[in-house]
């Protein structure tokens, strides 16, 4: 199955980063499994109507971050293990929290009010 079939590209992030983030989220949801093969770079580029170099950059980034492995320049597979899942989860949650705190600060919400509001929502 092609894990990029349901991606929705936007202008918020560079496309290669969106491709990486999409796969990370699928890993966390269990939709991408260990040694699942990804489509070729050319296939993804054609499917999404983007430059093959953009897909190449995404695949290279995923390899550098340790959740993609290219075997003999033939196929690329996703690498999933508990340590990687925890690393990705931490990275994504840290980014969400950072963005959230910045937005709270910009709207003037103090820490105590924020914690009280979080506790209210956590209970519901």
């Amino acid at each position: 199955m092609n894990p990029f079939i349901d991606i929705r590209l936007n202008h918020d992030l560079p496309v290669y980063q969106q491709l990486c983030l999409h796969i990370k989220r699928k890993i966390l949801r269990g939709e991408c499994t260990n040694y699942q093969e990804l489509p070729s770079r050319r296939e993804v580029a054609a499917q999404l109507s983007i430059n093959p170099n953009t897909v190449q950059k995404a695949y290279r980034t995923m390899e550098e971050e340790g959740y993609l492995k290219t075997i003999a320049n033939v196929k690329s597979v996703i690498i999933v293990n508990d340590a990687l899942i925890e690393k990705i989860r931490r990275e994504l949650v840290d980014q969400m929290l950072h963005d959230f705190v910045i937005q709270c600060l910009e709207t003037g919400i103090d820490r105590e009010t924020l914690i009280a509001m979080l506790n209210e929502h956590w209970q519901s």
Side-chain angles (χ1 to χ4, degrees):
M1 186 182 130
N2 181 344
F4 295 109
I5 201 81
D6 59 345
I7 192 169
R8 301 281 183 259
L9 298 175
N10 59 56
H11 298 289
D12 295 338
L13 287 173
V15 173
Y16 84 94
Q17 289 179 347
Q18 293 179 62
L19 296 174
C20 296
L21 186 57
H22 186 74
I23 295 299
K24 286 178 181 178
R25 288 180 175 147
K26 285 194 169 269
I27 289 171
L28 289 181
R29 289 191 303 260
E31 296 173 17
C32 285
T33 57
N34 198 35
Y35 273 82
Q36 178 179 337
E37 190 172 338
L38 289 181
S40 74
R41 291 145 177 82
R42 290 188 193 281
E43 288 176 75
V44 174
Q47 172 195 337
L48 301 176
S49 300
I50 59 176
N51 189 313
N53 290 330
T54 300
V55 182
Q56 172 60 31
K57 186 171 184 176
Y59 277 39
R60 184 174 54 250
T61 299
M62 289 187 272
E63 287 175 345
E64 289 169 358
E65 292 184 10
Y67 58 101
L68 187 74
K69 180 178 180 181
T70 299
I71 301 170
N73 287 332
V74 176
K75 64 180 180 176
S76 295
V77 296
I78 294 173
I79 302 299
V80 178
N81 58 51
D82 291 341
L84 180 71
I85 289 171
E86 187 54 36
K87 176 184 170 192
I88 291 171
R89 181 175 289 120
R90 178 75 188 208
E91 172 191 332
L92 295 184
V93 171
D94 280 349
Q95 185 61 52
M96 286 186 292
L97 287 172
H98 173 79
D99 295 345
F100 177 67
V101 168
I102 295 295
Q103 291 174 1
C104 289
L105 291 171
E106 289 173 352
T107 58
I109 297 175
D110 62 81
R111 176 184 234 154
E112 291 74 25
T113 303
L114 174 59
I115 291 171
M117 292 174 74
L118 281 171
N119 284 330
E120 286 175 24
H121 285 277
W122 200 269
Q123 303 302 322
S124 55

